[in-house]
Amino acid sequence: DIDSFDCDVLRALLGGLEAAVLVLEVQPAAPPPIRFARLFHPEDPLTHGWVGCSVSYQAELLRPAYQLILNSEDSAVFVRSSLLPVLEALPAGSIFYWTRFKPRLPADEWDCFRRTRTLDQTRLAARASQGHVTPPAFVREWAFELRPIDARSRIWGNITELAFSHELAAGEKPPLYVVDV
């Protein structure tokens, strides 16, 4: 949870990291299958615009070594692919205490996103009033009303407008993003 160029840091760590479980912060406003990431730039002050990366970007970066088992609001949990049979063999309720059903692993990105409180209008409105910059109606439109390629274009337009909506200080560079489907 570094609120910046999380996936660039993850990519660098993967060269020497062999963790069994990875818990990563996600950019909750980017619905699957949108692959969003803020990229590293040494002069990025991290003061404006979206940060982090989407669960779809993370899943693509981590496959095939890791698989998604949970996306809950602002965090995603990935496990080593070799552990999926072990987790699937556990009794129902062993992994996720809130269900009596055995999970189907790996988890589906879209199903996880749809079930998160990311789309809860009350929660999103509260976050917007605290300075969160993505209006709830935008997230719902991107997720449910637009084709992914059209959502990608709208997301790009919104995050670049946000990034450039202030005057850059001397020497300040705008954020670098990747947004893809």
Side-chain angles (χ1 to χ4, degrees), residues 18-98:
E18 290 196 24
V21 177
L22 297 170
V23 179
L24 307 169
E25 182 179 36
V26 299
Q27 172 49 258
I34 301 297
R35 294 185 303 271
F36 162 81
R38 186 167 188 151
L39 304 176
F40 173 75
H41 189 284
E43 297 176 25
D44 183 349
L46 300 170
T47 55
H48 303 283
W50 279 14
V51 295
C53 48
S54 67
V55 70
S56 293
Y57 191 97
Q58 292 171 350
E60 183 174 287
L61 178 63
L62 293 169
R63 279 190 293 257
Y66 293 90
Q67 298 294 323
L68 177 68
I69 65 164
L70 177 69
N71 178 21
S72 176
E73 298 175 38
D74 300 332
S75 298
V77 179
F78 292 84
V79 299
R80 274 221 164 268
S81 296
S82 60
L83 294 177
L84 288 183
V86 174
L87 296 176
E88 289 173 329
L90 293 173
S94 298
I95 304 171
F96 307 121
Y97 67 88
W98 57 84

Side-chain angles (χ1 to χ4, degrees), residues 158-179:
N158 281 279
I159 64 175
T160 54
E161 172 65 27
L162 176 66
F164 292 100
S165 65
H166 70 287
E167 190 173 320
L168 294 174
E172 182 180 358
K173 301 290 183 195
L176 298 174
Y177 295 118
V178 61
V179 181

Side-chain angles (χ1 to χ4, degrees), residues 78-169:
F78 292 84
V79 299
R80 274 221 164 268
S81 296
S82 60
L83 294 177
L84 288 183
V86 174
L87 296 176
E88 289 173 329
L90 293 173
S94 298
I95 304 171
F96 307 121
Y97 67 88
W98 57 84
T99 182
R100 62 182 172 195
F101 300 104
K102 288 184 137 194
R104 284 189 257 156
L105 301 175
D108 177 81
E109 297 162 38
W110 174 247
D111 187 51
C112 286
F113 179 84
R114 196 173 49 83
R115 293 172 189 269
T116 66
R117 292 192 316 163
T118 298
L119 299 174
D120 180 302
Q121 292 296 323
T122 305
R123 180 175 183 270
L124 286 173
R127 290 183 71 196
S129 71
Q130 298 167 357
H132 184 69
V133 296
T134 307
F138 287 16
V139 177
R140 292 193 69 75
E141 177 188 51
W142 300 335
F144 298 114
E145 297 172 20
L146 298 175
R147 294 177 311 145
I149 194 70
D150 296 328
R152 177 201 164 274
S153 297
R154 293 266 177 98
I155 291 170
W156 180 258
N158 281 279
I159 64 175
T160 54
E161 172 65 27
L162 176 66
F164 292 100
S165 65
H166 70 287
E167 190 173 320
L168 294 174

